[in-house]
């Protein structure tokens, strides 16, 4: 397959999977493994995530601008920003401490990704069917304790295949949030988490960065941005009507298919 087609495909996969609970990292790593694609220093895979991040900024620009300009005067805006920072804090501490193990061991083990996809799929099915009346319906007004615990759940996504959005949504549901607000909060939490992770990755790999394939990076970035816009626009209404079961079954199918593919190609 031509490199530019691979760049489009991987950009689309990144944008489609970043904000739904199926693990964008797991999909990209498995896709790159089976296509035999890996950029120097993983520059391509790192940078295209910013395309998905830009989709969130574009769609929520009005609210983000309000938070940025009104927090000194608006107690509700200030409280939500504090909640985001509290939820983000565990990822900073654990991500910094375990960075080497995550990148050198977990990210290089496709079997771990497949198993995490399958286990996470069954867990998401269970949560989706759980009969529990939600206590918190507005992501802006979660208790600080809930923000912090959701942040701890997010750290599970450092295992590739778990899914950052899946971990935060699952944590929210267990803590009493409704499906829509849990998904929306995962969007906002993606901004500091993904932003910090991408720039820390770039910093740690600065000696190996290679921007010779800038054309491919631009193609992947734009593809991820467009796909991310499409997903974020439909996701909240979709989960309100259908829940997370379709994503759970998708995880299970991809995980099983990945294990079969690894068995057939000697990837174990």
């Amino acid at each position: 397959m031509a490199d530019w087609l691979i760049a489009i495909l991987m950009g689309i996969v990144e944008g489609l999977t970043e904000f739904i609970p199926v693990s964008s990292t797991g999909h990209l790593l498995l896709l790159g493994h089976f296509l035999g694609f890996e950029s120097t220093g993983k520059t391509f895979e790192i940078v295209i995530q910013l395309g998905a991040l830009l989709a969130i900024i574009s769609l929520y620009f009005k609210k983000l601008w309000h938070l940025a300009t009104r927090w000194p005067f608006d107690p509700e805006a200030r409280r939500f920003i504090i909640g985001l920072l509290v939820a983000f804090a565990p990822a900073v501490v654990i991500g910094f401490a375990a960075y080497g193990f995550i990148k050198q061991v977990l990210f290089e083990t496709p079997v771990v990704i497949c198993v995490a996809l399958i286990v996470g799929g069954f867990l998401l099915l269970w949560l989706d069917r759980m009969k529990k009346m939600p206590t918190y319906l507005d992501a802006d007004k979660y208790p600080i304790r809930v923000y912090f615990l959701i942040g701890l759940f997010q750290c599970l996504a450092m295992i590739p295949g778990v899914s950052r959005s899946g971990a935060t949504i699952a944590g929210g549901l267990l803590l009493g949030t409704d499906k829509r607000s849990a998904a929306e909060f995962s969007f906002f939490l993606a901004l500091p988490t993904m932003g910090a992770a991408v720039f820390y990755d770039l910093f740690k790999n600065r000696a190996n960065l290679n921007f010779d394939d800038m054309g491919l990076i631009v193609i992947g970035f734009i593809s991820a941005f467009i796909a991310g816009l499409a997903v974020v626009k439909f996701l909240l209404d979709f989960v309100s009507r259908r829940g997370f079961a379709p994503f759970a079954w998708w995880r299970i199918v991809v995980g099983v298919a990945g294990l079969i593919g690894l068995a057939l190609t000697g990837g174990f």
Side-chain angles (χ1 to χ4, degrees), residues 20-55:
I20 61 177
V22 299
S23 178
S24 63
T25 301
H27 278 68
L28 281 181
L29 291 175
L30 286 177
L31 185 62
H33 174 82
F34 288 115
L35 290 177
F37 177 85
E38 183 178 351
S39 63
T40 304
K42 293 192 180 294
T43 308
F44 175 87
E45 294 88 337
I46 294 170
V47 174
I48 65 169
Q49 294 179 62
L50 294 176
L53 199 62
L54 183 60

Side-chain angles (χ1 to χ4, degrees), residues 94-154:
I94 297 175
F96 180 79
Y99 180 84
F101 176 75
I102 293 167
K103 291 295 182 181
Q104 295 168 20
V105 178
L106 297 180
F107 271 58
E108 301 299 329
T109 314
V111 173
V112 170
I113 299 171
C114 295
V115 171
L117 284 169
I118 295 168
V119 172
F122 282 113
L123 178 61
L124 203 57
L125 279 176
W126 173 69
L127 288 172
D128 196 54
R129 296 171 181 175
M130 183 173 60
K131 302 300 182 184
K132 182 178 180 180
M133 288 297 294
T135 305
Y136 311 113
L137 307 178
D138 189 341
D140 292 9
K141 296 180 174 64
Y142 292 167
I144 295 298
R145 174 186 65 87
V146 171
Y147 287 125
F148 177 71
L149 292 175
I150 289 176
L152 288 179
F153 273 98
Q154 178 179 240

Side-chain angles (χ1 to χ4, degrees):
M1 184 182 293
D3 285 348
W4 66 271
L5 284 176
I6 293 177
I8 292 175
L9 179 60
M10 294 190 72
I12 290 173
V13 168
E14 162 63 26
L16 290 179
T17 58
E18 184 61 57
F19 304 112
I20 61 177
V22 299
S23 178
S24 63
T25 301
H27 278 68
L28 281 181
L29 291 175
L30 286 177
L31 185 62
H33 174 82
F34 288 115
L35 290 177
F37 177 85
E38 183 178 351
S39 63
T40 304
K42 293 192 180 294
T43 308
F44 175 87
E45 294 88 337
I46 294 170
V47 174
I48 65 169
Q49 294 179 62
L50 294 176
L53 199 62
L54 183 60
I56 285 287
I57 295 172
S58 300
L59 289 173
Y60 282 93
F61 181 80
K62 184 176 180 180
K63 180 165 184 173
L64 292 171
W65 181 256
H66 173 82
L67 291 173
T69 57
R70 297 298 302 167
W71 69 267
F73 321 106
D74 186 340
E76 289 191 5
R78 189 162 56 248
R79 186 180 181 282
F80 184 58
I81 291 175
I82 292 172
L84 275 176
L85 294 176
V86 166
F88 171 53
V92 175
V93 176
I94 297 175
F96 180 79
Y99 180 84
F101 176 75
I102 293 167
K103 291 295 182 181
Q104 295 168 20
V105 178
L106 297 180
F107 271 58
E108 301 299 329
T109 314
V111 173
V112 170
I113 299 171
C114 295
V115 171
L117 284 169
I118 295 168
V119 172
F122 282 113
L123 178 61
L124 203 57
L125 279 176
W126 173 69
L127 288 172
D128 196 54
R129 296 171 181 175
M130 183 173 60
K131 302 300 182 184
K132 182 178 180 180
M133 288 297 294
T135 305
Y136 311 113
L137 307 178
D138 189 341
D140 292 9
K141 296 180 174 64
Y142 292 167
I144 295 298
R145 174 186 65 87
V146 171
Y147 287 125
F148 177 71
L149 292 175
I150 289 176
L152 288 179
F153 273 98
Q154 178 179 240
C155 293
L156 294 173
M158 293 177 188
I159 303 172
V162 169
S163 168
R164 188 205 58 80
S165 60
T168 55
I169 289 169
L173 295 178
L174 285 172
L175 293 166
T177 71
D178 71 314
K179 296 173 183 176
R180 184 184 182 92
S181 72
E184 185 171 41
F185 184 67
S186 78
F187 293 163
F188 286 103
L189 188 53
L191 294 175
T193 304
M194 288 176 59
V198 168
F199 286 110
Y200 188 62
D201 261 344
L202 291 174
F203 173 76
K204 292 290 286 187
N205 290 287
R206 62 191 183 281
N208 301 316
L209 292 180
N210 184 344
F211 288 94
D212 290 343
D213 294 326
M214 183 58 72
L216 294 180
I217 293 172
V218 171
I219 291 172
F221 181 95
I222 294 173
S223 300
F225 171 69
I226 295 171
L229 283 177
V231 167
V232 174
K233 280 187 174 181
F234 97 93
L235 184 62
L236 294 181
D237 288 337
F238 181 86
V239 299
S240 297
R241 297 193 313 269
R242 300 287 301 277
F244 297 108
F247 305 121
W249 285 114
W250 175 259
R251 291 177 62 103
I252 293 168
V253 168
V254 171
V256 171
L259 289 176
I260 293 172
L262 289 172
L264 293 176
T265 59
F268 280 106

